Coordinates of all heavy atoms in Angstrom, one line a residue:
T1 N 99.1 -55.6 -84.4 CA 100.4 -56.3 -84.4 C 101.2 -56.0 -83.2 O 102.3 -56.6 -83.0 CB 101.2 -56.0 -85.7 OG1 101.4 -54.6 -85.7 CG2 100.4 -56.4 -86.9
T2 N 100.8 -55.2 -82.3 CA 101.4 -54.9 -81.0 C 100.3 -54.9 -79.9 O 99.1 -54.6 -80.3 CB 102.2 -53.6 -81.0 OG1 101.3 -52.5 -81.3 CG2 103.4 -53.7 -82.0
P3 N 100.6 -55.1 -78.7 CA 99.6 -55.1 -77.6 C 98.9 -53.8 -77.5 O 99.5 -52.7 -77.6 CB 100.4 -55.4 -76.4 CG 101.6 -56.2 -76.9 CD 101.9 -55.6 -78.2
V4 N 97.6 -53.8 -77.3 CA 96.8 -52.6 -77.1 C 96.1 -52.8 -75.7 O 95.6 -53.9 -75.4 CB 95.7 -52.4 -78.2 CG1 96.4 -52.0 -79.5 CG2 94.8 -53.5 -78.4
Q5 N 96.0 -51.8 -74.9 CA 95.4 -51.9 -73.6 C 93.9 -51.8 -73.8 O 93.3 -51.0 -74.6 CB 95.8 -50.7 -72.7 CG 95.3 -50.9 -71.3 CD 95.8 -49.8 -70.3 OE1 96.7 -49.1 -70.7 NE2 95.2 -49.8 -69.2
I6 N 93.2 -52.7 -73.0 CA 91.7 -52.8 -73.1 C 91.2 -52.1 -71.8 O 91.4 -52.6 -70.7 CB 91.2 -54.2 -73.2 CG1 91.9 -54.9 -74.3 CG2 89.7 -54.3 -73.3 CD1 91.7 -54.3 -75.7
G7 N 90.6 -50.9 -72.0 CA 90.1 -50.1 -70.9 C 91.2 -49.5 -70.1 O 92.3 -49.5 -70.5
V8 N 90.8 -49.1 -68.9 CA 91.8 -48.5 -68.0 C 91.9 -49.2 -66.6 O 92.7 -48.7 -65.8 CB 91.4 -47.0 -67.8 CG1 91.5 -46.2 -69.1 CG2 90.0 -46.8 -67.1
A9 N 91.1 -50.2 -66.4 CA 91.2 -50.9 -65.2 C 92.5 -51.5 -64.9 O 93.3 -51.9 -65.8 CB 90.1 -52.0 -65.2
T10 N 92.9 -51.6 -63.6 CA 94.2 -52.1 -63.2 C 94.0 -53.3 -62.2 O 94.9 -53.5 -61.3 CB 95.0 -51.0 -62.5 OG1 94.3 -50.5 -61.4 CG2 95.3 -49.9 -63.5
N11 N 92.8 -54.0 -62.3 CA 92.6 -55.1 -61.3 C 92.3 -56.4 -62.0 O 91.6 -57.2 -61.4 CB 91.4 -54.7 -60.4 CG 90.1 -54.5 -61.2 OD1 90.1 -54.4 -62.4 ND2 89.0 -54.5 -60.4
W12 N 92.8 -56.6 -63.2 CA 92.5 -57.9 -63.9 C 93.5 -59.0 -63.3 O 94.6 -58.7 -63.0 CB 92.8 -57.7 -65.4 CG 91.8 -56.8 -66.1 CD1 92.1 -55.5 -66.5 CD2 90.5 -57.0 -66.4 NE1 91.0 -54.9 -67.0 CE2 90.0 -55.9 -67.0 CE3 89.6 -58.1 -66.2 CZ2 88.7 -55.8 -67.4 CZ3 88.3 -58.0 -66.7 CH2 87.8 -56.9 -67.3
T13 N 92.9 -60.2 -63.2 CA 93.7 -61.3 -62.6 C 93.7 -62.5 -63.4 O 94.7 -63.3 -63.3 CB 93.1 -61.6 -61.2 OG1 91.8 -62.0 -61.3 CG2 93.3 -60.5 -60.2
V14 N 92.7 -62.8 -64.2 CA 92.6 -64.0 -65.0 C 92.3 -63.6 -66.5 O 91.4 -62.8 -66.7 CB 91.5 -64.9 -64.5 CG1 91.4 -66.2 -65.4 CG2 91.8 -65.3 -63.1
I15 N 93.0 -64.3 -67.4 CA 92.7 -64.1 -68.8 C 92.6 -65.4 -69.6 O 93.4 -66.3 -69.2 CB 93.7 -63.1 -69.5 CG1 93.3 -62.7 -70.9 CG2 95.1 -63.7 -69.5 CD1 92.2 -61.7 -71.0
S16 N 91.7 -65.5 -70.5 CA 91.6 -66.8 -71.3 C 91.2 -66.4 -72.7 O 90.1 -65.9 -72.9 CB 90.7 -67.8 -70.7 OG 90.7 -69.0 -71.4
A17 N 92.0 -66.8 -73.7 CA 91.7 -66.5 -75.1 C 91.4 -67.9 -75.8 O 92.0 -68.9 -75.5 CB 92.8 -65.8 -75.8
S18 N 90.5 -67.9 -76.7 CA 90.2 -69.1 -77.5 C 90.1 -68.8 -79.0 O 90.9 -68.0 -79.5 CB 88.8 -69.7 -77.0 OG 87.8 -68.9 -77.5
Y19 N 89.3 -69.5 -79.7 CA 89.2 -69.4 -81.1 C 89.0 -67.9 -81.6 O 89.8 -67.3 -82.2 CB 88.1 -70.3 -81.6 CG 87.9 -70.3 -83.1 CD1 89.0 -70.5 -84.0 CD2 86.6 -70.2 -83.7 CE1 88.8 -70.5 -85.3 CE2 86.4 -70.2 -85.0 CZ 87.5 -70.4 -85.9 OH 87.3 -70.4 -87.2
V20 N 87.8 -67.3 -81.3 CA 87.6 -65.9 -81.6 C 86.9 -65.2 -80.4 O 86.0 -64.4 -80.6 CB 86.7 -65.8 -82.9 CG1 87.5 -66.0 -84.1 CG2 85.5 -66.8 -82.9
N21 N 87.3 -65.6 -79.2 CA 86.8 -65.0 -78.0 C 87.9 -64.7 -77.0 O 88.9 -65.3 -77.1 CB 85.7 -65.9 -77.3 CG 84.5 -66.0 -78.1 OD1 84.3 -67.0 -78.8 ND2 83.6 -65.1 -78.1
T22 N 87.6 -63.8 -76.1 CA 88.5 -63.6 -74.9 C 87.6 -63.4 -73.7 O 86.5 -62.8 -73.8 CB 89.4 -62.4 -75.1 OG1 90.0 -62.5 -76.4 CG2 90.4 -62.3 -74.1
F23 N 88.0 -64.0 -72.6 CA 87.3 -63.8 -71.3 C 88.3 -63.3 -70.3 O 89.5 -63.7 -70.3 CB 86.6 -65.0 -70.8 CG 85.3 -65.3 -71.5 CD1 85.2 -65.8 -72.8 CD2 84.1 -65.0 -70.8 CE1 84.0 -66.0 -73.4 CE2 82.9 -65.2 -71.4 CZ 82.8 -65.8 -72.7
A24 N 87.9 -62.6 -69.3 CA 88.8 -62.1 -68.2 C 88.0 -62.0 -66.9 O 86.8 -61.7 -67.0 CB 89.4 -60.8 -68.6
I25 N 88.7 -62.1 -65.8 CA 88.1 -62.0 -64.5 C 88.9 -61.0 -63.8 O 90.2 -61.0 -63.8 CB 88.1 -63.3 -63.7 CG1 87.3 -64.4 -64.5 CG2 87.6 -63.1 -62.3 CD1 87.4 -65.8 -63.9

């Protein structure tokens, strides 16, 4: 119910969420 960090990387630039998936670049 609140944001959780995914991994420790600090170089994410693109995010896309859909029905039951998420993708990132």
